[in-house]
Structures are given as C-alpha cells and as structure tokens.
Amino acid sequence: MKNSSPHKPLVSICIPTYNGAKYLSEAINSAIAQTYRPIEIVISDDNSTDGTIEIAERLKNESNIPFLIFKHTPEGIGANWNNAIKHSNGEFIKFLFQDDILRSDCIEQMMQLNFKNNNLGFIVCRRELIVESEEINQASYYQPTYTTIQSGKEILGGKNLFNAPRNKIGEPTCVLIPKAVIEDIGYFNTKLSQSLDYEFLYRVCHFYSFGYINKELVKFRLHNNQTTRKNSLQVVPDRYRIPITLLRNHFSLLHFNVKLLLFYKYLSGLTTWAGSKLITKFIQNK
C-alpha cells in the first residue's frame, strides 16, 4: 500500500546571536522541543563575549538534532540573519531570535498549513508578548488579523500601510519562509538597521499570498537591550532609506495617500539624518 503522507521537508531553525547568554538556553530548548521533524538548528554568532557560544556548544552536545554553529564577523543584524540562511540546509527557514520562545507545536502547525496550500510566500502566526520593561509601549506591537490565506498585494495596497506600527505582518520569530522564496526575492536588506524585517516581508507580499494562523505559537520578548529597541531611540538611516525603498519596489501597488506619505517621510528623514550627522561632526570637532 502506497504511503499517502506528505513529504516532510527539513526545516532550519535559524538563531542569529550576539551576547544572548541571558535567554539563549530557553530559546534553544524551545527549538529542540518542536514536535515537527526533521529539523536542524543553525546559529550564526556575531562575536559574542558573554558565553553565548559556550551555551550553544553545550546544548549541541546534549542534543541529537543536527546543530550547526558559525562565527560571523559583525556587519549589522541583517548580515547575521542572512549568514544563518546561507548556512542552512532546510527547504524552510524558521527564525528564532535569541530572546524569544517557540511553542512546541509551532513548526508542526505552520507546516500543516503549508501542506494544504502550495506556493505561499510565508506563514505567520500570532505571538504572546513577554514585556520586561514598563518603558515599552505595548500598543505599538499590535497583532493584525488576516484570513487563513491572505493576498500580499492587498496588504501593500492598504491606505494605512506606513502608519504606525509599520510592520503589518509580524516579527521574524513569527514567520516560516520557504527557502526558495528567499532565493527568488532576495535576502534581507543589509542597508537597513531597523526596518529590514518588514521590508523583506513586503517584498514577498508583492509576488505571493501568505498563510495566517490565528494562534499564539511564539513568545516575543520585549526588553530595553534589544537591538531594535535601541535603534528606535536613535536617528538611523532607515528614516529615509525605508520610504524610498518601498516607493521603488512597490510603487504600482501603493495607495495614493501612502505614496505621498512615503515621499514626505523620505525628505524629512533625509533632512533629519543629515542634520544629526552635522551636529555629531560639529561636537566631535569642538
């Protein structure tokens, strides 16, 4: 009798790290505990100095799951994310950030939706927030609700696309991506330091629909030491780069009001960035 069960492709759980010793064991153990098989764990580390690599090596030795650890020369978070992908062997990429947690059936449920629907650009789920600072505004981390199969172009055409919060999809920990899609639309934009996650997902949305699971399958931790949290409190080049990038990549799909807003944000962001650089240079030369 022929086996009618679907082919179960390898899923690479990619964990980019940098000084993540505080939470890393919890993150990796949640990856090891996945009910879905086959999986591999791929760690790309940006020269951590706090014992991150030692923790990863210990858990690797204790596990029978394929476990790859790579040391990476720091070139920004996007470069580290891309490095993890490039070293992966799986047909699917499941990101897990060093301070986040996967529910044990996270990948299982995502892959079940994938088996039922071919050619999805990615699958995203809801997430539970772990808030470790009263200074963080939780309202800026809203959770959108979509249909089980959602048109990506519909998201890009929304009149509120660039209104806060600007990530209308979810953080990378919430997302499962076919590696073939990444090879099709390109890797994370390393010129961006804060907006690279949703810029990447919007590129996918331009060409694909995506799957949505209305369940909290991951836990996303919010604390003051997060790179994105630090960037949000600084003047970064994303302020002018992300508006012009979205205009260039998706102009034909964007709502007219969004086009106007992006053009305004590009000019104001460029002015703010240039002004901050001049002030910094002035202070340094005093």
Side-chain angles (χ1 to χ4, degrees), residues 206-274:
H206 194 109
F207 301 100
Y208 295 88
S209 294
F210 63 89
Y212 173 73
I213 299 177
N214 192 22
K215 297 178 183 178
E216 295 177 343
L217 299 180
V218 305
K219 294 183 180 181
F220 181 68
R221 197 184 307 269
L222 300 175
H223 56 88
N224 288 329
N225 289 326
Q226 285 172 303
T227 302
T228 51
R229 168 70 176 165
K230 293 177 180 178
N231 286 338
S232 69
L233 302 176
Q234 303 173 18
V235 177
V236 294
D238 287 32
R239 292 198 179 190
Y240 70 88
R241 285 180 178 162
I242 187 64
I244 198 66
T245 298
L246 295 179
L247 282 168
R248 286 171 176 165
N249 290 345
H250 313 296
F251 190 85
S252 63
L253 299 178
L254 298 174
H255 190 280
F256 178 74
N257 291 350
V258 173
K259 293 177 184 177
L260 293 179
L261 178 60
L262 288 171
F263 186 68
Y264 166 75
K265 290 291 187 180
Y266 166 68
L267 293 177
S268 62
L270 185 61
T271 302
T272 302
W273 171 251

Side-chain angles (χ1 to χ4, degrees), residues 5-6 10 14 39-40 65 68 72 77 105 115 127 150 153 174 176 183 187 210 227 270 282 284-286:
S5 61
L10 175 66
C14 292
I39 60 172
E40 68 173 3
I65 293 172
L68 310 173
H72 178 253
I77 60 175
D105 61 343
F115 291 144
R127 76 290 197 254
Q150 175 67 53
K153 290 183 178 180
C174 302
L176 175 82
E183 293 169 348
Y187 288 77
F210 63 89
T227 302
L270 185 61
F282 174 77
Q284 291 174 343
N285 290 335
K286 281 191 68 176

Side-chain angles (χ1 to χ4, degrees), residues 12 82 84-93 121 177-188 200 203-204 207-208:
S12 297
N82 290 339
I85 297 170
K86 292 172 182 177
H87 281 98
S88 67
N89 300 297
E91 293 180 47
F92 288 81
I93 302 297
I177 314 163
K179 195 171 184 180
V181 170
I182 300 173
E183 293 169 348
D184 179 27
I185 64 102
Y187 288 77
F188 289 95
F200 170 83
R203 267 187 283 138
V204 179
F207 301 100
Y208 295 88

Side-chain angles (χ1 to χ4, degrees), residues 75-133:
E75 298 174 288
I77 60 175
N80 201 22
W81 298 2
N82 290 339
N83 189 58
I85 297 170
K86 292 172 182 177
H87 281 98
S88 67
N89 300 297
E91 293 180 47
F92 288 81
I93 302 297
K94 179 71 191 77
F95 268 105
L96 171 60
F97 287 170
Q98 63 190 18
D99 39 14
D100 297 336
I101 303 168
L102 302 179
R103 208 171 84 174
S104 62
D105 61 343
C106 176
I107 295 177
E108 186 82 51
Q109 294 210 32
M110 288 182 161
M111 290 303 294
Q112 286 176 1
L113 181 56
N114 172 77
F115 291 144
K116 295 176 183 177
N117 301 273
N118 294 325
N119 301 319
L120 293 176
F122 57 86
I123 295 171
V124 62
C125 67
R126 293 172 66 86
R127 76 290 197 254
E128 176 186 343
L129 296 179
I130 305 174
V131 183
E132 298 193 349
S133 172

